[in-house]
Each structure stands twice: as structure tokens, then as C-alpha cells.
């Protein structure tokens, strides 16, 4: 997900997106543990998306 798309969202939408990504991250971790995941680069992409959302949340909180 692009940073510009995330900046356009409000705080509630960012929180929902973060929750969805954390669920996806958990699912990917389970797939890695059971050796069912073929594309392991997905794990890193989800981690980076979570970091982007958390960064933007901090920016929005500081701007208030």
C-alpha cells in the first residue's frame, strides 16, 4: 500500500487497516511455521505496511 493512500485515510480507517494487516501477519506466520507458504516475501511486505500505518498514525497524533 502506498503512503499517499494511507495519508488520505482518517484515524479510524487506519486502525481498521492495521487490524487487518496484523491478522494477515499472524496467518502468514502460521503458514511459515507449517511450511505452507511458498512466497515468503509476503511476510516482509506486511511488516513494512504495518510500520507505514503506525508511522502515519504517529504523525497524525502529533499534528493534533
Amino acid at each position: 500500500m502506498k503512503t499517499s493512500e494511507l495519508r488520505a485515510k482518517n484515524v479510524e480507517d487506519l486502525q481498521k487497516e492495521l487490524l487487518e494487516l496484523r491478522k494477515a501477519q499472524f496467518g502468514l506466520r502460521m503458514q511459515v511455521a507449517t511450511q505452507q507458504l511458498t512466497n515468503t516475501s509476503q511476510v516482509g511486505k506486511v511488516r513494512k505496511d504495518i510500520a507505514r500505518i503506525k508511522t502515519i498514525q504517529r504523525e497524525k497524533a502529533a499534528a493534533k
Side-chain angles (χ1 to χ4, degrees), residues 17-18 23 25 27 33-34 36 39 43 50 52 55 60 62 64:
E17 187 73 29
L18 181 63
K23 287 180 182 179
Q25 184 183 31
T34 58
Q36 295 176 346
N39 186 5
V43 177
I50 289 172
R52 280 187 195 103
T55 300
K60 288 186 182 237
K64 286 185 180 180

Side-chain angles (χ1 to χ4, degrees), residues 20-50:
E20 290 174 16
L21 285 173
R22 290 205 181 227
K23 287 180 182 179
Q25 184 183 31
F26 178 77
L28 289 172
R29 281 198 327 248
M30 291 301 113
Q31 287 180 2
V32 167
T34 58
Q35 297 179 354
Q36 295 176 346
L37 186 64
T38 57
N39 186 5
T40 56
S41 68
Q42 289 176 323
V43 177
K45 289 178 186 176
V46 170
R47 286 182 64 202
K48 288 180 182 180
D49 284 342
I50 289 172

